[in-house]
Amino acid sequence: MRATFKTGVILGGLAVVGTIAYQQYQQRKTEAEDLAHRPSVDAKQDPQEVGLTQLDSIQRADWQANGFPQTHAELERLEQEEDQ
């Protein structure tokens, strides 16, 4: 009887941990999807943010911080500078 009790406690604990992990996963997934649909919070201060979603804004900030070119024209200009 003790072995079945211990097994029940262990399985119950695993079920609780699994349920909590799944709920947290669903919450993170929902938050990420929301970012892709909500407008950028910086659109009022920065004209280049107008029309972007929060996810786009985050990615744009990442690109700027890492020095990636923002437009095709800028990319072509950088390629021409490398060739010279």
Side-chain angles (χ1 to χ4, degrees), residues 67-81:
F68 290 111
Q70 298 294 308
T71 63
H72 289 289
E74 190 176 340
L75 182 61
E76 290 172 1
R77 182 183 55 79
L78 290 171
E79 287 175 352
Q80 287 176 355
E81 287 178 4

Side-chain angles (χ1 to χ4, degrees), residues 3 5 10 21-23 37 40 46 55 57 59 61 63 72 74 79:
F5 177 75
I10 291 171
Y22 180 73
Q23 288 173 345
H37 298 290
S40 172
D46 187 358
L55 183 61
S57 178
Q59 291 172 341
W63 280 41
H72 289 289
E74 190 176 340
E79 287 175 352

Side-chain angles (χ1 to χ4, degrees), residues 22-43:
Y22 180 73
Q23 288 173 345
Q24 290 175 346
Y25 166 76
Q26 287 294 346
Q27 183 178 5
R28 284 192 306 268
K29 184 178 167 187
T30 303
E31 288 171 1
E33 289 172 355
D34 287 346
L35 288 177
H37 298 290
R38 281 190 257 152
S40 172
V41 292
D42 295 328

